[in-house]
Structures are given as C-alpha cells and as structure tokens.
Amino acid sequence: MSEQKQAQQQVVIVGAGMAGVQTAVALREQGFTGPVTLIGAEPHQPYDRPPLSKAILLGKAEDSAFDVDFEALDVELRLGLDVTGLRAADHEIDTEAGPVPYDVLVVATGAHPITLPGAEGVPGVHLLRTLDDAVRLGPVLERRHTVVVVGAGWIGAEFATAARAAGCAVTVVEMADRPLAGALPAEVTAPMAGWYGANGAELLTHARVDTVEPGRVVLADGRELPADAVVVGIGARPATGWLAGSGIALDPSGAVTADERLRTSLPDVYAVGDCASYPSARYGERLLVHHWDNALQGPRTVAAAITGADPGPYDPVPYFWSEQFGRFVQYAGHHADADELLWRGDPADETWSVLWLRGGVPVALLAVGRPRDLAQGRKLIETATAVDPGRAADPSVPLKAAVR
Ligand SMILES: Cc1cc2nc3c(=O)[nH]c(=O)nc-3n(C[C@H](O)[C@H](O)[C@H](O)COP(=O)(O)OP(=O)(O)OC[C@H]3O[C@@H](n4cnc5c(N)ncnc54)[C@H](O)[C@@H]3O)c2cc1C
C-alpha cells in the first residue's frame, strides 16, 4: 500500500484483548501511519488473561494490564463500548454510542465462556473469563469457601489449583470419564487425573450436574455437593453474536471463517484470535485455537496484510501452556492425525513428555515440567524433521539429538 493511501485508511479494531491490542501494536511496528481505533467492551485498561487464573487468583498480582502506551502509539482507545453490529455495505459498525466508519475492520472479539444451563444468575455461581470475574472470586478464596468446579478442563484445573492453594475445599465435577477429555487422549490424561487427589481436590468423573441452587449442587445421580461457590469452566464460544445479519461467514462453532491471511468473507474485514478459525495446510484442517500464542502471532499476519506486505499464509504450530497443581504443562502442535505416541519418562514422576509422530515425523508434544523438550520438539514439528523413535523415547536423549 502506498504511504499516501495508507494514511487515509481508518483501521478499526473491535475487541481490546490480546489479539486486538497486538494488532494495533503490529500495525505501528510494521510502519502503518494511518488512524487506528481500538474498541473494547470492558471498561478496564486492556489486560492479559492467563494471569487471571494464576497470579491474580493467588493474590500474587493485582492486575495484568498490557505494558503498551497507546497514546505514544497514537492508537485511539475506546473502552467500555459495546459494538452491536456490522454493516459491511456502508463500511460501518454500530456501537452503543452510534456508528463508527472504517476502511479496514479487524474483528478480535475473542470468546465468551459457556454458561451452565439453569445456573445462570444463581447466587454464588461464577465464570472465569474477565478481570471482573477474577476479582469476584477473590473473596471466595480469601474466605476459604467450599467450592464446586464444573468442568475439569484447563480453566477448571487452574482454578482448582488456586483454590486448593488458598485452603478451599474443592470438588471438581466432570461429565466425561477424565479431565481434559476434549483435548488429550485417555492414556495421557490418566496421570493428570491423579494430580487432583494428590493436591487435596476431589475429582468426580462421569458426573453430570442436574441443578445448581444457592449453597449446593445436585448431580444427576442424586448426589448433593455443598457449595458456597460454584465455578463453571466448561469451555468458551467465539464472541461473534454481534455479527449476526452482517453476511460474514461463520463456521458451525460460531467462529469467523478467516482465510490463510486471516481475511474474512467480507471485503476489508479481518478476524484474529479466539473468535476466528483459519485453514491450516500444516494439519490439513481448519483450526480454531483458543490460546494466547495464537492471539499474539495472528495479529502480525493481519497487520502485514493491511500494510500491503505479503504476510504469507498464517499456519503456525499452535502452542499453549497451563500451570496446574504445581506443574508447568506445555503443548505444541496438533495430534489429531498422529499414528504413534511416545512417552519420554515415567508419568508417575514429576516430569515427563509425550511426543506424537506421523510417519516418524513429530506433529505434537506435551511436556510436563520439561520446557527443553517443548522448545526442541516445537522446532522439530515446525520443520517436520523425522526422529528415530527409539532415541526420541529416551528422556535422557535431548530431542534435537533424536533426529534421524
Ligand atoms: C482465565 C484464563 C486463563 C488463560 N490461561 C491461558 C494460558 O495459561 N495459556 C494459554 O495459552 N492461553 C490461556 N488463556 C487463553 C488466552 O487468554 C486467550 O486465548 C486470549 O486471551 C485470546 O485473546 P483474544 O484477544 O482473541 O480474545 P479475548 O482475550 O477474549 O479478548 C476479546 C475482547 O473483546 C471484547 N469484546 C467482545 N465482544 C465485543 C463487542 N461486541 N464489542 C466490543 N468488545 C467486545 C471482550 O470484552 C474482550 O475484552 C486463558 C484464558 C482465560 C480466560
């Protein structure tokens, strides 16, 4: 894009979370000089979400605001403003404060947590997505309440960790036969299930919530669990309801279907972060990634596309981490098509890894307390470098030395 044309382009970013903020930052880093407006529904200075279920809950940090000087970047920040619609034909979005025109629009509205049917509005029921949610949970931990966590996913495990550290009695209710059932195979989650009990949290699997009432949770099999507080962590859905009627293409999950340069089906509209899926040539399928690293990396592609540089296809090796029950858990890749699973170490130990291969080539890795495995494995996945399975299964051999 010529400098003159660029200067005329008004970029409007909807959603002031990681993906929205990083889009604004990346635009300036990549030399974009036109006006940039960043609109966010939350009233708070834009902040990072991972610390909400970790340092902030544990009282080790008060907030997690991004260290970004929006004024110095000449980014107009409009906070506490809900965007309610998109009229692509007019190149305008609607907000509670009236329409806002754009030349280029970036949809970065993230995801909303899924609520538990029947539990909405019941006193003592919490979600954990926003800073306000985390602040509301502070007194639950301080007062060492008896807590029922619904869902043994990433958020449920992290909340249970913090609540146990605070001295709460914690029961985690999981409908599936194991924790993280949607994310990892049974043989990998088996040792992880033991982490709950070892940390004094009770994990109930095959357990379906029937009703949530103030002070108790009743399960479908009739069991009653006392609960001063209930924390629901059963997943999140793309926050794209405001796009209804705009004509933008969404996939069945509600995610905006972006292309390999994160362009949407509408002209001059991009989508990035938790609200967007993209086609991965690397994995041969469309991916919807609800992790921090995707909200960091995607914006660079969007900014490059807006500034007219060819960003190349967006197809990173997905990466995330979680801190649970005193362990640092990291995952890179996507194991859906793997044909071989290798253990590195004994899952009864504090540290171990699992490596997934397809045709002898690493496609994914889960590392528990083995960050070096993660770093080296991630490179092997990125470069599709075949390994010798015998050596790769030996935890004393660095993964990079297991190359065939
Ligand atoms: C408690 C918690 C812990 C996490 N921990 C980890 C972790 O350890 N590791 C990891 O990899 N990932 C973690 N994640 C996931 C990671 O934080 C997300 O993937 C990341 O925040 C996604 O960024 P985003 O900008 O796409 O969406 P979001 O962070 O959801 O930001 C979107 C913003 O858009 C705003 N918005 C939505 N709709 C509108 C609208 N109509 N108008 C205006 N504004 C709107 C929202 O209010 C929100 O502020 C965690 C998430 C949570 C909730």
Side-chain angles (χ1 to χ4, degrees):
M1 195 186 296
S2 76
E3 232 168 72
Q4 206 183 1
K5 185 167 175 231
Q6 212 194 81
Q8 294 160 2
Q9 296 271 312
Q10 166 76 51
V11 177
V12 174
I13 304 165
V14 184
M18 182 71 183
V21 167
Q22 287 301 322
T23 301
V25 169
L27 278 168
R28 293 302 185 225
E29 277 174 0
Q30 295 183 29
F32 181 79
T33 55
V36 176
T37 300
L38 178 60
I39 303 178
E42 294 182 68
H44 308 289
Q45 199 61 20
Y47 62 89
D48 209 10
R49 267 173 230 287
L52 298 183
S53 52
K54 307 173 184 73
I56 290 185
L57 270 188
L58 290 166
K60 292 182 183 161
E62 272 184 16
D63 75 67
S64 55
F66 292 118
D67 187 15
V68 173
D69 186 340
F70 293 99
E71 218 175 293
L73 284 179
D74 194 17
V75 170
E76 185 195 12
L77 203 50
R78 299 186 66 182
L79 299 175
L81 184 61
D82 234 312
V83 176
T84 52
L86 163 59
R87 284 176 289 106
D90 303 328
H91 266 62
E92 275 187 351
I93 54 170
D94 290 315
T95 77
E96 292 165 317
V100 176
Y102 67 83
D103 295 307
V104 177
L105 180 71
V106 181
V107 176
T109 42
H112 289 315
I114 298 173
T115 55
L116 187 65
E120 297 101 336
V122 175
V125 176
H126 297 258
L127 297 164
L128 181 47
R129 178 79 196 179
T130 65
L131 180 57
D132 288 343
D133 292 336
V135 168
R136 276 190 289 265
L137 281 163
V140 170
L141 271 64
E142 272 159 32
R143 293 176 200 151
R144 299 182 185 183
H145 279 168
T146 296
V147 186
V148 170
V149 180
V150 183
W154 302 109
I155 298 285
E158 292 199 352
F159 178 79
T161 300
R164 280 302 302 140
C168 297
V170 178
T171 305
V172 181
V173 175
E174 170 56 55
M175 205 165 71
D177 59 346
R178 59 184 198 275
L180 294 166
L184 295 169
E187 67 179 295
V188 177
T189 57
M192 301 170 102
W195 298 350
Y196 287 76
N199 283 270
E202 191 176 5
L203 172 65
L204 305 178
T205 52
H206 298 289
R208 188 186 287 269
V209 173
D210 183 50
T211 47
V212 177
E213 297 160 11
R216 65 176 194 157
V217 171
V218 182
L219 301 183
D221 62 9
R223 273 180 291 179
E224 286 187 18
L225 308 172
D228 301 319
V230 178
V231 176
V232 177
I234 54 174
R237 275 202 197 100
T240 53
W242 64 282
L243 292 165
S246 68
I248 202 165
L250 304 177
D251 66 24
S253 72
V256 178
T257 45
D259 71 6
E260 73 290 347
R261 280 167 175 79
L262 301 181
R263 294 170 296 213
T264 72
S265 61
L266 296 177
D268 305 316
V269 181
Y270 295 80
V272 64
D274 279 14
C275 66
S277 66
Y278 61 90
S280 167
R282 187 188 292 279
Y283 294 108
E285 63 179 290
R286 182 164 276 282
L287 297 183
L288 171 60
V289 178
H290 276 187
H291 297 302
W292 187 91
D293 191 62
N294 177 57
L296 170 70
Q297 297 210 47
R300 295 183 195 137
T301 295
V302 172
I306 293 172
T307 54
D310 181 8
Y314 181 66
D315 200 5
V317 170
Y319 165 73
F320 69 88
W321 80 96
S322 171
E323 291 163 41
Q324 42 183 283
F325 305 115
R327 291 167 176 87
F328 188 45
V329 180
Q330 295 168 288
Y331 179 96
H334 183 65
H335 62 265
D337 285 345
D339 55 26
E340 193 174 356
L341 184 155
L342 301 177
W343 286 90
R344 284 173 59 78
D346 183 345
D349 292 342
E350 280 296 298
T351 68
W352 46 270
S353 299
V354 168
L355 183 67
W356 285 267
L357 307 178
R358 187 173 60 230
V361 175
V363 289
L365 181 117
L366 176 82
V368 176
R370 290 182 65 99
R372 214 166 277 164
D373 275 6
L374 191 284
Q376 296 179 12
R378 192 176 180 179
K379 280 201 188 112
L380 297 176
I381 297 166
E382 270 163 6
T383 51
T385 305
V387 292
D388 173 74
R391 288 176 64 71
D394 180 348
S396 68
V397 175
L399 268 179
K400 64 180 179 189
V403 168
R404 200 154 50 195

